Every structure is written in C-alpha cells, then in structure tokens.
Amino acid sequence: MVCEQYTTTTEGTHIERPENQSVYKIGIYGWRKRCLYLFVLLLLIILLVNFALTIWILKVMWFSPTGMGHLRVMKDGLRLEGESEFLFSLYAKEIHSRVDSSLLLQSAKNVTVNACNSGGNVTGRLTVGPKMVEVQSQEFQINSEDGKPLFTVDEQEVVVGTDKLRVTGPEGALFEHSVETPLVSADPFEDLSLESPTRSLSMNAPKGVHIKAHAGKIEALSQMDVVFHSSDGMLVLDAETVCLPKLVQGTWGPAGSSQGLYEICVCPDGKLYLTVAGTGSTCHENSHICP
C-alpha cells in the first residue's frame, strides 16, 4: 500500500517536494502469506473430515430421535430388539420379551440374577452354570398358573403342594431323615419297597398305620427281630390260613397217635413251638424248649 501525503498551501506560497520520499507497505507478504493460506486450508480440511466422520458414525450406529440402532427409548422404559451382548452388569427393574417370542438369557460361563435391598446387599440370587443351577434365598417357591404353591423350600422344611409326588428313578428315593406323608404307594403292577440298609425303619401314625397289597403279598424281612407292639390293643391275624413254617417242634409221641395234628405252645417269654397233639395238652412235656 502506498502512503500519499497531502499538503495544503495558500496562493503565493511555494513548497518544494523532497525528491526521495519514503514508501511503507502494510500487510503479510511472501512466505508468511503462503503459510497462512496453507494453515487455513488445513483447518478447512480437518473440519470437513470431522463432519464426514460424524455423519458416518451417526449412520453406522443408527442414531435417531427415538434411540440408537435396535435400542428404542419408550415412555415406559427401553425396548431392545434382536440379540444383544452386555459386557458388564445389567441393572433393571423388569425384563420381559415380546408377546410372540420367548426370552433367552445366554452366557459363555454363568448367568446370575441378583436381588438387592436398599443397602446394596444381595437378598436373593439365581445362578445358572454349566453343571449346576444354584438358588440362594431365604425361601424358594414354585407356583402354578393360578398361584397355588407347588414346591416350597426353606431352612425348616420342604413342602410339596401337589396332590401326588412321583419318583421314577430306578433306585427310588433316599431320605436321610424322617418323611411325613399321608400315603406311600407304587405304580400299578409295580412293587413297593421300604428299606433301611444300615439302620432301623419306623412307621408312626396317631390314628393307625395301614399296609395293603391289593394284588400281591406283603413281606417283612429283617436280619434281627421283627417286633409288633400294641400298648392298648391286640395283635389280630385275620386270615383263612396262618402259616408258621419254621416253628421249633417238640419230641414226637408214639407213632400214629397224633394223626397229623399239632399243638402250638407259648413260652413265658412269648416264644412259640409245636408239639404233637394228644388227648390232652402236651406243652408241659416239651417245656424244655423254653429257655
């Protein structure tokens, strides 16, 4: 830029102009100007690249006013369609699937569902692992569709609310302690066996114990004694035939005198033995059998 100098004179005045007048230039010239333009061009390129990357990210992630990708923000919560993978813990009040599809929770190791109180302590936990399903809670309960308890477990007892509990294993059911039930039965045309391999087996009821075999026989086997005890009643053997094949027999009488008849004798300690029947009682003659 050229700097011009104006001088005001009056008539009759002569002012001589200097021959060598200095000229000053204002601005950026040379390599500085080129560097400035290059820097501005570089900033413009970076701005365009950032804008293009922002548009590409919005396109790839499916950002929209209602959500991102398969994730939709609804009035009552979040709606997630398709399969999703969570790398860390998921906190939610309620998780449910669509009406026409099932809900699938899948993990490479364990699937754990925790319920916490206001203090952050875990009050209930459900863990599904590759070898075991573990439930940690004060009480575990399974209900039917109408809300009827079918199976309840706590620290005190296990309650089965169904009309019938069926055990189909070939080895039956093993109970380490007592079992309380109004009825124990087998399937039709199948045998029912109650046994204790190393301990005793006891059946108690306040109003009586009924053992019935409608189409077979009843066997009671024991290595030691089989004891039937009644404190206020009688022991009744009501059958057409009562067979005691292994009773001890006393000495034989004269040949042909018994005619195949025998007499049952009782020792003071309750032991039974047989003697050949005679015209009178022969128990006294064979009382040496009693201890």
Side-chain angles (χ1 to χ4, degrees):
M1 182 180 294
V2 179
C3 180
E4 297 182 355
Q5 182 178 2
Y6 298 91
T7 305
T8 304
T9 61
T10 60
E11 294 182 0
T13 304
H14 177 73
I15 299 176
E16 294 182 359
R17 295 177 178 271
E19 294 181 358
N20 297 328
Q21 188 177 10
S22 299
V23 179
Y24 298 96
K25 296 181 180 180
I26 301 175
I28 301 175
Y29 297 93
W31 65 272
R32 294 183 180 89
K33 184 177 181 179
R34 289 191 295 270
C35 290
L36 178 61
Y37 288 162
L38 181 61
F39 181 71
V40 174
L41 180 60
L42 182 61
L43 289 180
L44 182 60
I45 294 174
I46 293 176
L47 179 62
L48 293 177
V49 171
N50 287 337
F51 182 76
L53 288 177
T54 303
I55 298 299
W56 179 76
I57 292 175
L58 293 176
K59 184 68 175 178
V60 171
M61 299 301 295
W62 296 357
F63 279 99
S64 65
T66 59
M68 180 184 67
H70 295 291
L71 183 63
R72 296 289 184 267
V73 180
M74 314 297 290
K75 293 182 179 180
D76 53 351
L78 299 177
R79 180 177 180 179
L80 188 60
E81 298 180 355
E83 297 182 1
S84 301
E85 182 178 355
F86 298 93
L87 301 180
F88 299 98
S89 301
L90 174 64
Y91 298 91
K93 180 180 179 181
E94 180 181 356
I95 301 176
H96 61 85
S97 64
R98 297 187 305 180
V99 179
D100 56 346
S101 62
S102 58
L103 178 62
L104 175 62
L105 301 177
Q106 184 176 355
S107 174
K109 292 184 179 181
N110 296 333
V111 176
T112 303
V113 180
N114 294 335
C116 304
N117 55 15
S118 58
N121 299 323
V122 178
T123 58
R125 174 176 297 172
L126 172 62
T127 303
V128 181
K131 296 182 179 181
M132 182 178 59
V133 177
E134 181 181 357
V135 178
Q136 180 180 353
S137 179
Q138 295 181 356
E139 182 177 341
F140 176 73
Q141 182 171 325
I142 300 177
N143 298 332
S144 62
E145 295 182 356
D146 55 356
K148 179 182 177 182
L150 301 179
F151 185 77
T152 304
V153 180
D154 56 18
E155 295 182 357
Q156 302 296 330
E157 60 183 359
V158 177
V159 179
V160 179
T162 57
D163 296 334
K164 181 185 295 186
L165 175 62
R166 184 176 181 181
V167 180
T168 59
E171 299 295 332
L174 176 62
F175 302 96
E176 295 183 358
H177 301 284
S178 60
V179 178
E180 182 177 351
T181 177
L183 176 64
V184 178
S185 62
D187 289 338
F189 308 105
E190 297 291 338
D191 296 335
L192 174 64
S193 176
L194 301 177
E195 62 176 318
S196 177
T198 59
R199 296 293 186 270
S200 61
L201 177 63
S202 176
M203 293 184 291
N204 302 321
K207 293 185 178 181
V209 177
H210 301 275
I211 302 175
K212 296 181 181 180
H214 297 283
K217 60 182 180 178
I218 298 175
E219 293 184 1
L221 304 178
S222 175
Q223 185 177 358
M224 302 298 291
D225 299 334
V226 177
V227 180
F228 296 95
H229 176 71
S230 177
S231 57
D232 296 331
M234 297 182 298
L235 178 62
V236 179
L237 301 177
D238 186 5
E240 294 181 357
T241 303
V242 177
C243 181
L244 301 175
K246 294 185 178 181
L247 286 181
V248 179
Q249 295 184 0
T251 57
W252 292 86
S257 61
S258 65
Q259 299 180 356
L261 300 178
Y262 296 89
E263 181 180 1
I264 298 178
C265 303
V266 183
C267 296
D269 60 353
K271 180 179 179 180
L272 301 180
Y273 61 94
L274 293 177
T275 61
V276 179
T279 56
S281 177
T282 58
C283 292
H284 181 70
E285 299 175 0
N286 298 281
S287 60
H288 62 278
I289 298 177
C290 298

